[in-house]
Amino acid sequence: MRWPYHFGCPGGDHLSRQLALTVDRESRLPLAVQVRNALRGLVENGTLWPGTRIPSSRQLALDIGVSRSVVVEAYEQLSAEGYLETKRGSGTTIAARAQSDEGAASTLVPPDPEPVPEAMWDLRTGTSNVVDFPRQEWIRCVAAVVNDAGRQELSYSAPAGVLLTRRVLVGYLGRVRGVRSRPEDLMVTAGFAQGLALTCKVLLDRGHTTLGVEDPGHPGEREFITSSGLRPVGIPVDEDGLRVDLLEESDVRAVLITPANQFPTGARLSQARRERLITWAREVDGYVLEDDFDSAFVQRIDQLPSLQSLAPDRVVYAGSASKTLAPALRLGWLAAPSELMASIEHVRAGWDIGCSGLEQLAFTRFIDTGALDRHQRKLRAEFHRRRQVLRRQTESWLPGTHLIGRGGGLQAYLQLPPHLDEQALVRAARHRSVLVRGGHFYTLTDTSRPPALVISYATVNSAGLAKSLMAIGSAYRQLGGLT
C-alpha cells in the first residue's frame, strides 16, 4: 500500500507545482531509507530547488503515517550528505549546494538562486576523477574506430559484447590482475551495477534468498541487492578484511566483497582468508562476487592478484571503467564460471541487446595503444600524493585519530577517538563548508565499530584536501578531539 503526500511551496518563490512523496509498506526497504531516497531523488532531478522549504519532521511523519523518528533519521542523513540544512526559526530547506554536489544538473533546471560558496569541498565517496579524463586520446580512439567501421561494426553487436573487446579485455585483465578467463566467459556490461543486477537475478533463480555483504560496506549496493529480491546479510570486516569465520556461521551461499581494497576501510583480504574463502565457496556450492572497483589505484607493491585467479570456477569477477576513466562511458565487465555465464547471458537477452559497439571498440583501442595503462599510472601517482597530504594533515590537525588500511585507492578510513560524536563532527564540518560522511553511514548491523570519517580524495586536489582537513581539524578540536 502506498501513502502519497502532496505539498507545495506557499508564496511560489521557489516552487509552484505539487510534489509527491510516497512510501511502500510492502517494500523490504526500511521506511527511513524510502523517505531519504524519495527526497534525494526530488532534489537530484531538479524538482526541489535550493532554498525550498520542506515540512517539519513532525508534520511529514503525521501526513504519511509513520513514526517521527523515521523522518528524523532520513532528515539527519540528508543533512549530513549536504542535501538539507536546518536553521532556527526557518525550518528545514533544500541546501544551496544540494544539486551541484551530486553532479551535473539537467539543463532544464535553473541555476542556483544563491551564489555557490568558493570554499566548499566534497570529500564524500562515490565520485570519480573526471577532471583528468584523457579527452584527446579518447577522441583519437573514437575517431579511428568510426573511420574504420564497416557494416559489421555499425550493426548490432552480440549481447555479451563485441568479440574483439572481450578478447582484449581477457588479455588485459590477465596481465594486470591475474584474471583467468576466456572471451566466451566474459561479458561487457553497462557498468558494475548491471553486472551486479544480472548476477543477483541468476542467484535468485537458483534458489538463493540472501547475499553476504561486507559490513561496513557500500549502502547503495545493499539497497540495490534488496531491490533485486535478495536480502543482504552483513559480515563484519577487520584489519585482514572479511571475517570468513563469521561468514561460515551464516546461512548465505554467495558473498559480495572488495578484497583488493575493502570499501570503505582500505583493509586487504589476507592470503589465509582468501584461501579459506575459496574453500567455503566450494563447501557450500556457492559463489564469491569480486568487486575490483579501485585496485588500479593501489600501489603495485601492495597488490595481490585478483581473488578470481585462485578459483575461476567459484568467483565472479566484476570491474568497470567508471573509476578509471568516467562513469558516463557505462562500460563494465563480468568474468564468470562457464556454467554461470550461460545463465547470465540468458537473463541479459531478456533485458537489452548489449552496450554500444562503437564505445566498446574505442575502449578496446584505448587499451591496445597503452593509453589506459598510462592514464592509470598518472592517476595512481596523483592519488598517492593526495594520500600523503591526507596523512600529514591528519597527524597535524586531527591528533588522536588513526588511518586504517595500508593506503591506496580512492578513500581513507579515519578512526576517531571513542568519545567523539561522529555525527556531530560531520555536521560541524559541513558548517565549515566540508561535506564528509561518518563511518556509521556505511554499516549495516555492526554498530560496535568506533566512530570514524570516510574521506574520499577522488575529486579534491592536494591543496583543497589540505584546506578541507584543516577545517575538519578545527571542528574536531572544538568537539573535544585530542590536542
Side-chain angles (χ1 to χ4, degrees):
M1 179 178 181
R2 295 184 179 274
W3 296 77
Y5 173 66
H6 302 276
F7 61 94
C9 181
D13 290 339
H14 299 291
L15 190 66
S16 59
R17 72 192 81 167
Q18 293 289 310
L19 299 175
L21 188 153
T22 63
V23 293
D24 184 359
R25 297 185 182 280
E26 297 179 0
S27 171
R28 293 187 179 185
L29 284 179
L31 292 174
V33 172
Q34 292 187 49
V35 173
R36 185 188 73 202
N37 290 351
L39 268 173
R40 185 195 287 131
L42 292 173
V43 173
E44 290 179 348
N45 68 21
T47 303
L48 291 178
W49 294 7
T52 300
R53 184 171 179 175
I54 63 174
S56 67
S57 58
R58 187 183 304 278
Q59 184 62 55
L60 181 55
L62 180 65
D63 288 336
I64 63 176
V66 299
S67 166
R68 187 189 177 198
S69 63
V70 167
V71 181
V72 168
E73 180 182 342
Y75 277 17
E76 286 183 348
Q77 186 58 59
L78 289 171
S79 296
E81 293 178 16
Y83 288 90
L84 303 180
E85 57 185 16
T86 302
K87 296 180 180 178
R88 186 178 297 276
S90 300
T92 303
T93 59
I94 305 302
R97 287 277 298 180
Q99 290 171 340
S100 56
D101 285 340
E102 291 301 315
S106 166
T107 55
L108 299 177
V109 180
D112 291 342
E114 299 177 3
V116 176
E118 293 183 4
M120 175 65 81
W121 303 280
D122 192 344
L123 306 183
R124 296 174 297 177
T125 57
T127 54
S128 302
N129 183 346
V130 296
V131 173
D132 292 321
F133 180 76
R135 288 173 170 79
Q136 293 307 313
E137 287 196 89
W138 184 258
I139 288 171
R140 283 193 288 270
C141 290
V142 171
V145 165
V146 172
N147 286 335
D148 294 344
R151 181 173 299 178
Q152 180 177 348
E153 288 77 16
L154 293 173
S155 299
Y156 293 108
S157 60
V162 175
L163 181 57
L164 176 60
T165 300
R166 287 183 281 152
R167 285 175 177 165
V168 170
L169 266 173
V170 164
Y172 170 77
L173 294 173
R175 172 169 61 86
V176 301
R177 298 296 294 129
V179 172
R180 297 158 54 195
S181 188
R182 305 177 304 166
E184 54 265 41
D185 293 331
L186 186 140
M187 174 181 287
V188 179
T189 60
F192 172 78
Q194 186 181 49
L196 178 59
L198 288 165
T199 307
C200 286
K201 180 63 170 65
V202 170
L203 291 176
L204 196 65
D205 290 345
R206 294 186 174 203
H208 290 251
T209 59
T210 58
L211 179 63
V213 294
E214 295 169 319
D215 192 3
H218 197 305
E221 288 183 0
R222 294 197 296 261
E223 294 178 12
F224 192 88
I225 291 165
T226 300
S227 67
S228 76
L230 296 174
R231 179 172 61 87
V233 176
I235 309 296
V237 169
D238 63 17
E239 64 274 8
D240 288 324
L242 185 83
R243 289 281 305 275
V244 183
D245 58 325
L246 298 182
L247 175 67
E248 293 168 340
E249 296 175 4
S250 72
D251 62 353
V252 306
R253 293 191 298 114
V255 62
L256 171 64
I257 66 171
T258 51
N261 190 45
Q262 200 277 326
F263 180 86
T265 67
R268 311 283 160 77
L269 189 65
S270 68
Q271 186 63 39
R273 289 193 185 178
R274 285 169 172 251
E275 295 170 0
R276 187 170 178 176
L277 181 60
I278 297 305
T279 299
W280 165 84
R282 291 198 167 110
E283 288 177 349
V284 301
D285 190 23
Y287 295 99
V288 179
L289 283 64
E290 179 178 10
D291 179 3
D292 205 29
F293 75 106
D294 74 345
S295 65
F297 306 127
V298 175
Q299 294 298 307
R300 291 303 185 209
I301 194 172
D302 287 332
Q303 272 199 0
L304 288 173
S306 69
L307 183 67
Q308 190 268 3
S309 66
L310 298 179
D313 61 323
R314 287 295 163 187
V315 180
V316 179
Y317 178 89
S320 80
S322 296
K323 296 295 186 289
T324 54
L325 282 173
L329 296 177
R330 305 312 304 137
L331 284 171
W333 43 87
L334 279 182
S338 298
E339 56 89 18
L340 197 63
M341 181 55 74
S343 299
I344 292 173
E345 287 183 348
H346 177 74
V347 173
R348 178 78 181 272
W351 284 13
D352 60 31
I353 53 175
C355 305
S356 164
L358 292 179
E359 292 279 6
Q360 292 180 58
L361 289 171
F363 185 55
T364 303
R365 188 177 183 87
F366 197 76
I367 295 173
D368 241 359
T369 59
L372 182 59
D373 283 303
R374 290 192 296 273
H375 179 62
Q376 289 183 348
R377 193 175 298 114
K378 173 185 174 182
L379 287 187
R380 188 161 53 246
E382 172 60 24
F383 290 144
H384 179 69
R385 285 191 290 270
R386 295 181 189 181
R387 178 86 180 196
Q388 295 306 107
V389 169
L390 187 146
R391 184 176 297 279
R392 290 194 299 268
Q393 292 296 106
T394 52
E395 289 174 354
S396 298
W397 293 95
L398 292 103
T401 63
H402 178 56
L403 277 175
I404 304 297
R406 296 177 62 182
L410 298 172
Q411 64 281 322
Y413 193 88
L414 184 65
Q415 188 169 300
L416 304 170
H419 71 275
L420 205 72
D421 186 328
E422 178 186 290
Q423 280 306 304
L425 182 57
V426 169
R427 290 191 295 269
R430 187 174 190 283
H431 290 154
R432 289 165 173 78
S433 297
V434 183
L435 300 178
V436 67
R437 291 187 175 119
H440 284 87
F441 173 82
Y442 300 89
T443 60
L444 179 58
T445 57
D446 186 11
T447 57
S448 63
R449 299 184 69 88
L453 292 181
V454 179
I455 301 171
S456 169
Y457 40 85
T459 59
V460 180
N461 62 25
S462 294
L465 190 59
K467 292 177 181 177
S468 61
L469 289 168
M470 287 173 61
I472 294 176
S474 172
Y476 173 77
R477 293 170 188 266
Q478 185 178 13
L479 290 172
L482 298 180
T483 57

